[in-house]
Amino acid sequence: MKRSYASFSISENKRYIHLLLIAFIGFLVYSNTFAVPFHFDDTSGIVENHSIRDFSDFCPPKGPRWVGTLSFDLNFKLGGLNVTGYHIVNLIIHILNSFLVYFIILLTFKTPLLQYSISKYRTQQYPYPLIALLSALIFISHPVQTGAVTYIVQRFASLATFFYLLSLLMYIKA
C-alpha cells in the first residue's frame, strides 16, 4: 500500500516575508547596541591589536582564528575604530545564523521520516513553515545571544556558530 506524503510547499514570497521579518526583528532587538563602546577583550583584541591593520598576516592564511581576524581587519579598513561598523557586522552574522536556523528546520521537516510521520498522523496541512519562523525568531531575539552580538570580540563565537550551522544545513541538504 502506497502512502502519499504530506505536501510541503512554501511559496517564495512567503519565504522572503519570513526572512525579512527575522532580519527586522534582529535589527529591532539589537539596534540600540550600535553605540556600545569597546569593552574587556575588545581593547586588546581590536583597539591595541596592530596586526589586524595589515593584510600581510592573511596571505598565506595563518593563525587559529583566521576568518574572524580577517573580518576585524576588513572592519578596521572600512571604518577604523568606529564601533558602529563592528556592531553592524556582528548583527549581520547573527541574522545570517538565524536564517540558517530557519532553513535547517524547513529542511528537517522535509526529511522522509518526518514526511511519513506527518502524513500518517495528520490529515490537515502541518504548519512547518510557521514552526521554522518561530524557531528562528526565538533564536534571533533570545537574551542568551546578547553577548555574542553586543560584545565585539565574541564575533569569533558567532562565526563558529555560522560555520557549524552551515555545515549542518549542507549535511541535511545532502
Side-chain angles (χ1 to χ4, degrees):
M1 179 171 168
K2 186 176 177 181
R3 287 201 187 272
S4 63
Y5 292 111
S7 171
F8 288 106
S9 62
I10 178 172
S11 70
E12 291 294 320
N13 288 340
K14 193 177 216 181
R15 188 174 301 143
Y16 290 129
I17 290 171
H18 287 180
L19 294 176
L20 284 173
L21 180 63
I22 293 166
F24 175 74
I25 294 296
F27 182 78
L28 188 67
V29 169
Y30 292 105
S31 63
N32 64 341
T33 66
F34 291 159
V36 174
F38 294 112
H39 287 292
F40 307 118
D41 293 344
D42 292 342
T43 304
S44 62
I46 298 169
V47 177
E48 297 171 356
N49 186 359
H50 296 286
S51 67
I52 68 164
R53 299 172 187 173
D54 182 12
F55 279 108
S56 64
D57 288 343
F58 302 107
C59 290
K62 56 186 167 190
R65 296 178 168 183
W66 182 81
V67 174
T69 307
L70 177 63
S71 74
F72 287 137
D73 190 28
L74 292 171
N75 249 143
F76 184 80
K77 296 293 185 218
L78 293 174
L81 292 175
N82 181 0
V83 293
T84 303
Y86 291 91
H87 287 296
I88 289 172
V89 171
N90 280 11
L91 178 58
I92 289 170
I93 293 168
H94 186 57
I95 289 171
L96 291 174
N97 287 340
S98 300
F99 290 170
L100 289 173
V101 166
Y102 176 77
F103 287 118
I104 286 170
I105 293 178
L106 285 179
L107 285 176
T108 300
F109 274 105
K110 290 182 180 182
T111 59
L113 180 64
L114 279 177
Q115 282 186 356
Y116 173 76
S117 298
I118 290 169
S119 67
K120 182 177 179 183
Y121 298 110
R122 300 277 182 186
T123 56
Q124 72 274 9
Q125 178 70 25
Y126 199 73
Y128 78 96
L130 183 61
I131 293 170
L133 174 64
L134 292 176
S135 300
L137 289 175
I138 289 170
F139 182 86
I140 199 157
S141 62
H142 198 281
V144 78
Q145 304 292 349
T146 303
V149 179
T150 306
Y151 184 29
I152 297 171
V153 168
Q154 286 302 312
R155 181 180 300 176
F156 292 124
S158 294
L159 284 171
T161 302
F162 174 78
F163 288 114
Y164 176 77
L165 290 173
L166 184 62
S167 298
L168 185 60
L169 179 75
M170 293 297 115
Y171 178 78
I172 293 170
K173 187 104 171 122

